[in-house]
């Protein structure tokens, strides 16, 4: 079971039949986009695409487009949603290689099925396909938005590795990492939807805030558990050397944590003990409050021009993010 | 020492001072493009960019643009050249991870310096940066050309792995792989240059042919040696399970080779023996003749509109490709 999160059915209801039709087109295209590449590539790419989850990013693109759209705008929107999801899936495939992960959402990873080389190359193929799909929209601004998010993702990943085991990182540095690793693609998803529908971008900051909140709450969940909700032991980030907001905040309140060398945490029992210490400082509430404030700001900032149904659906997505770890 | 190849100084001479100025701008941009990403990423990316070689692909872009160009076209051309080289370098960084290569042109690889994760991510960053740079040209056709070449590269890499150890592959299948892995990026380099200069693309097939010839001759060199020219043992492709044109052709003429299981070739002495057997069938000459015919066709097809200096420089590049392994 995954953490409580966005109720996709409720979002689809709120967004109206129009949204359902477009999401079905995104799914159709995602299912078939790798086929021309032939076997086995289409199978590897398709497997991860199919296991990819809730399609939060394409959903943001479709909703960010706002009210009624022309047939041509709908085609462009579908491509934007497909492109943003493909980029996301490309990073998942590479992450699975780097983490030597055998399962993703219950399905075997490309790394597990086909090995390191094939998985690295499958990820590269998905990256290229994302840009190929988006280029069909004939709008350089959309390509700029996606490539900026894509280079941000890589920079965030590298920042995280550069910061590994360093418990003295600042809150600002941690947030910069979250922005690069997670939030910018949420922002790009919104921006692409607006651009594809011929609107001037106004929702990027909504995407950025809920993306940041999404990552912060993910990091809180890793410390708070419960393991039944997350499907993994508490403290896996710590064991990986990834220092996140709860520890950064808790070190201010607890001298023992401030003195802790993360490398001394070598097994899951030790990690659980540190998680308990972090929890006792109130750092989890502080981090959660920070994320909830981001979500509240995101909702408050939604532009007045939005149709009520679109606004309701975007608010449900924001609430779903806030509910992670609630 | 690398195989005899393109005489870059002669190409620059033929192309005229204009070409030198633009290539210097490409180099400048390549040197600084990763800097905003901060250390250590900029160092890792920059190291491979700096070790990247002769810049054959940007050179093709600049030359394909043909005669005089406006200031704006020159800016676009430089970005096109930078983008095509960045995509090439991105694949090199990933190749080095997959091959666990410690050195590239005498410089340590990102994989050797920073490890598998950092190198995979550095490659991803370079991919993203290539598209970000090209998007600045505000021309969707250029993004389409680069993303098509990029997904072709990944498909070619995967085809090669799918075909590993299979000595019964056809010539057509081998050539398809070469086209995807190597030739399409040469073709895209030409096409990007033409598009950036506002010309209708006519040189893609020149790029495709010399790219194919480049790969075929590379594969001939792996069998023919001499090792002093290639810097590696003969038969490394065979030891990797990569079946190339010389063996495909030689199997038709030699029953022992036709019966050979590539997996039985387990050390460099055995590989050298197979290389000698291949050479005795005349397959190397046949493969080389095929490549030289491609180069001759490429030159014969150069469009009439080209300035004499541009034509001379492109012919020198084609001759340089033909001289690989001569």
């Amino acid at each position: 079971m995954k953490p409580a999160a966005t109720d996709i059915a409720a979002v689809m209801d709120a967004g109206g039949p129009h949204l359902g039709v477009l999401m079905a087109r995104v799914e159709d295209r995602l299912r078939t986009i790798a086929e021309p590449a032939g076997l086995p590539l289409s199978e590897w790419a398709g497997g991860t695409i199919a296991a990819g989850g809730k399609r939060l990013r394409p959903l943001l693109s479709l909703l960010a487009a706002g009210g009624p759209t022309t047939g041509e705008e709908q085609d462009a929107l579908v491509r934007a949603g497909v492109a943003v999801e493909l980029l996301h899936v490309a990073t998942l495939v590479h992450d699975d290689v780097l983490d030597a992960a055998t399962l993703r959402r219950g399905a075997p990873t490309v790394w597990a099925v086909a090995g390191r080389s094939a998985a690295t190359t499958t990820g590269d193929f998905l990256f290229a396909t994302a840009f190929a799909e988006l280029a069909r929209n004939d709008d350089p601004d959309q390509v700029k938005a996606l490539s900026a998010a894509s280079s941000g993702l890589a920079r965030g990943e590298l920042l995280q590795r550069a910061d590994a085991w360093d418990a003295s990182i600042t809150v600002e540095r941690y947030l910069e990492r979250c922005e690069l690793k997670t939030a910018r693609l949420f922002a790009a998803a919104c921006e692409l939807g607006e651009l594809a529908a011929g609107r001037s971008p106004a929702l990027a900051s909504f995407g950025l805030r809920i993306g940041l909140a999404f990552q912060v709450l993910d990091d809180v969940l890793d410390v708070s558990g419960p393991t039944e909700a997350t499907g993994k032991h508490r403290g896996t980030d710590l064991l990986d050397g990834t220092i996140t907001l709860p520890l950064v905040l808790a070190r201010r309140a607890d001298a023992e944590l401030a003195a802790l060398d993360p490398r001394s945490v070598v097994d899951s029992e030790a990690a659980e003990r540190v998680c308990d210490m972090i929890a006792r400082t109130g750092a989890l509430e502080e981090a959660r409050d920070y994320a909830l404030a981001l979500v509240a700001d995101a909702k408050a900032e939604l532009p007045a021009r939005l149709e009520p149904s679109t606004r309701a659906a975007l608010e449900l997505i924001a609430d779903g993010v806030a509910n992670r770890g609630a």
Side-chain angles (χ1 to χ4, degrees), chain A:
Chain A
M1 201 187 125
K2 302 298 292 179
T6 313
D7 181 345
I8 296 296
V11 174
M12 300 302 289
D13 267 358
H18 178 73
L19 180 64
V21 171
L22 289 176
M23 266 314 282
R25 288 185 57 195
V26 169
E27 284 297 341
D28 271 354
R29 179 68 179 151
L30 284 171
R31 199 174 48 247
T32 57
I33 197 164
E35 278 175 9
L39 292 173
L41 176 53
S42 56
E43 223 169 76
W44 296 334
T48 311
I49 292 171
K54 287 191 300 288
R55 313 294 191 214
L56 214 47
R57 293 159 192 80
L59 208 46
L60 283 173
S61 297
L62 299 182
L63 286 168
T69 42
T70 66
E72 202 176 316
E73 285 165 355
Q74 288 174 18
D75 294 348
L77 253 177
V78 168
R79 285 191 288 261
V82 166
V84 76
E85 185 69 8
L86 286 174
L87 191 77
H88 173 56
V89 175
T91 66
L92 296 183
V93 172
H94 280 179
D95 284 353
D96 289 340
V97 177
L98 302 183
D99 301 341
T102 53
L103 287 176
R104 177 166 291 280
R105 294 182 182 271
T109 62
V110 184
W111 177 81
V113 171
R116 193 154 56 84
S117 304
T120 302
T121 312
T122 301
D124 289 353
F125 170 77
L126 288 164
F127 269 114
T129 308
F131 284 101
E133 187 72 357
L134 196 63
R136 295 175 60 211
N137 280 359
D138 285 341
D139 178 2
D141 286 341
Q142 293 179 44
V143 177
K144 285 176 199 169
L146 192 69
S147 57
S150 173
S151 83
L153 275 163
R155 285 173 54 206
E157 181 73 28
L158 287 167
L159 266 192
Q160 180 166 313
R161 285 171 202 277
D163 288 351
W165 310 109
D166 181 359
S168 70
I169 57 158
T170 61
V171 171
E172 291 69 31
R173 172 78 172 205
Y174 164 81
L175 291 174
E176 182 191 359
R177 231 167 58 192
C178 294
E179 180 178 331
L180 290 167
K181 257 183 53 188
T182 309
R184 286 216 189 161
L185 193 58
F186 277 70
C190 294
E191 198 179 346
L192 289 178
E194 293 178 294
L195 290 169
R199 298 186 194 278
S200 57
L203 281 167
S205 104
F206 173 84
L208 200 73
R209 285 176 206 268
I210 67 166
L212 267 179
F214 183 95
Q215 186 60 55
V216 169
L217 290 170
D218 210 51
D219 295 341
V220 168
L221 269 171
D222 185 72
V223 176
S224 68
T227 55
E228 308 84 61
T230 61
K232 53 182 188 172
H233 287 290
R234 292 192 296 147
T236 54
D237 285 339
L238 192 59
L239 287 169
D240 286 342
T242 306
I243 309 302
T244 63
L245 190 58
L247 178 56
V248 173
L249 295 174
R251 290 176 83 245
R252 297 174 175 177
D254 183 315
E256 198 182 337
L257 283 174
L260 176 83
D261 176 358
R263 289 186 193 273
S264 68
V265 183
V266 291
D267 57 32
S268 41
E269 284 97 65
E272 298 245 348
R273 270 198 307 278
V274 175
C275 288
D276 289 337
M277 287 169 68
I278 294 172
R280 277 196 297 273
T281 66
L284 294 177
E285 288 73 19
E286 198 181 337
R288 206 178 279 130
D289 287 349
Y290 179 82
L292 297 184
L294 282 167
V295 171
D297 285 352
K299 288 166 68 176
E301 273 193 1
L302 282 171
R305 67 150 168 90
L306 294 175
E307 307 250 311
S309 63
T310 304
R311 172 183 298 274
L314 285 170
E315 287 177 347
L316 279 170
I317 289 183
D319 291 339
V321 168
N323 280 334
R324 284 173 75 83

